Amino acid sequence: EMLRLRADQTKAEGEFAMARADVWPDLKVGPAIRQTTSGPFKYQSYGVSVSFQLPLLSWNGSLRESRELTQNRVRSKTKWENQDIRSQYVSTLSQLEKISKLLMETPTESEINRKHLSSENLFDRGLVGGALMIEAHRSIVDYYETKHALERRFLEDSLKIQTLAKVGNAEVT
């Protein structure tokens, strides 16, 4: 997207430069050879020819203004997209830090297994009801689903950061 925007910006700048260049006439300088026939005699003339158009009808200020506005619009859009990519980068980076902190603070699998075995021992002895054990298993499943969703989000955000960093590096060069 950024490469396309940069190409649009370059195109708009080129069109504006062409519109500005059209204000000035093309100056043509070159050799001139003329052959003049007057009755039975033929004369040849050699010299230098200089020609240019008078810009009476070719000022076309509206075209220049239109191209300049287009160039400014595309430049603003490119600048806005750059800022948007930077804000996405910062936002994703802060989200990565939050997810990383959450994943570090979660209990380890051995802690969960130890607590689960302790609950099952209580169930086997008849101290805990079946409904409570079902809820314990349901909470373990919920825990792992949430943890895996966070890990998946962490990986997606890491890839997004790498992509945005590549775009940012391409932008700088």
Side-chain angles (χ1 to χ4, degrees):
E1 182 68 18
M2 284 304 299
L3 292 175
R4 187 185 61 75
L5 284 172
R6 276 197 210 106
D8 286 346
Q9 183 177 0
T10 304
K11 178 184 172 199
E13 289 170 356
E15 288 176 348
F16 178 57
M18 284 179 55
R20 270 189 308 177
D22 284 343
V23 169
W24 301 102
D26 292 334
L27 179 65
K28 297 176 185 172
V29 178
I33 301 173
R34 287 212 175 150
Q35 186 173 359
T36 308
T37 305
S38 176
F41 301 104
K42 291 185 180 181
Y43 301 103
Q44 288 189 345
S45 306
Y46 301 100
V48 176
S49 171
V50 176
S51 68
F52 60 92
Q53 297 173 346
L54 293 176
L56 296 177
L57 300 174
S58 64
W59 282 92
N60 201 357
S62 62
L63 177 66
R64 281 192 322 269
E65 289 173 8
S66 169
R67 300 290 190 205
E68 184 177 17
L69 288 173
T70 301
Q71 176 189 7
N72 291 337
R73 179 185 54 80
V74 171
R75 185 180 297 138
S76 296
K77 185 176 181 183
T78 303
K79 183 179 176 183
W80 183 82
E81 289 291 332
N82 276 339
Q83 290 172 348
D84 185 46
I85 286 176
R86 284 192 178 105
S87 65
Q88 283 181 20
Y89 183 82
V90 169
S91 169
T92 306
L93 201 57
S94 69
Q95 190 170 359
L96 268 175
E97 290 172 3
K98 288 177 186 176
I99 291 173
S100 175
K101 187 177 176 183
L102 276 172
L103 289 173
M104 292 290 199
E105 292 173 356
T106 59
T108 64
E109 193 170 335
S110 61
E111 290 174 20
I112 291 173
N113 282 335
R114 186 174 37 84
K115 289 179 182 178
H116 179 67
L117 287 175
S118 144
S119 299
E120 281 190 349
N121 283 339
L122 291 174
F123 174 74
D124 289 341
R125 287 193 243 158
L127 298 173
V128 175
L132 191 59
M133 280 310 295
I134 291 172
E135 283 304 314
H137 287 109
R138 197 173 290 157
S139 67
I140 290 174
V141 169
D142 287 344
Y143 166 79
Y144 280 115
E145 284 178 351
T146 304
K147 183 177 179 181
H148 292 305
L150 283 173
E151 289 170 343
R152 185 174 51 249
R153 181 62 188 229
F154 186 83
L155 289 174
E156 289 172 357
D157 286 348
S158 296
L159 291 174
K160 190 174 184 182
I161 284 288
Q162 290 175 1
T163 303
L164 291 173
K166 285 180 185 178
V167 169
N169 289 339
E171 169 197 327
V172 171
T173 57

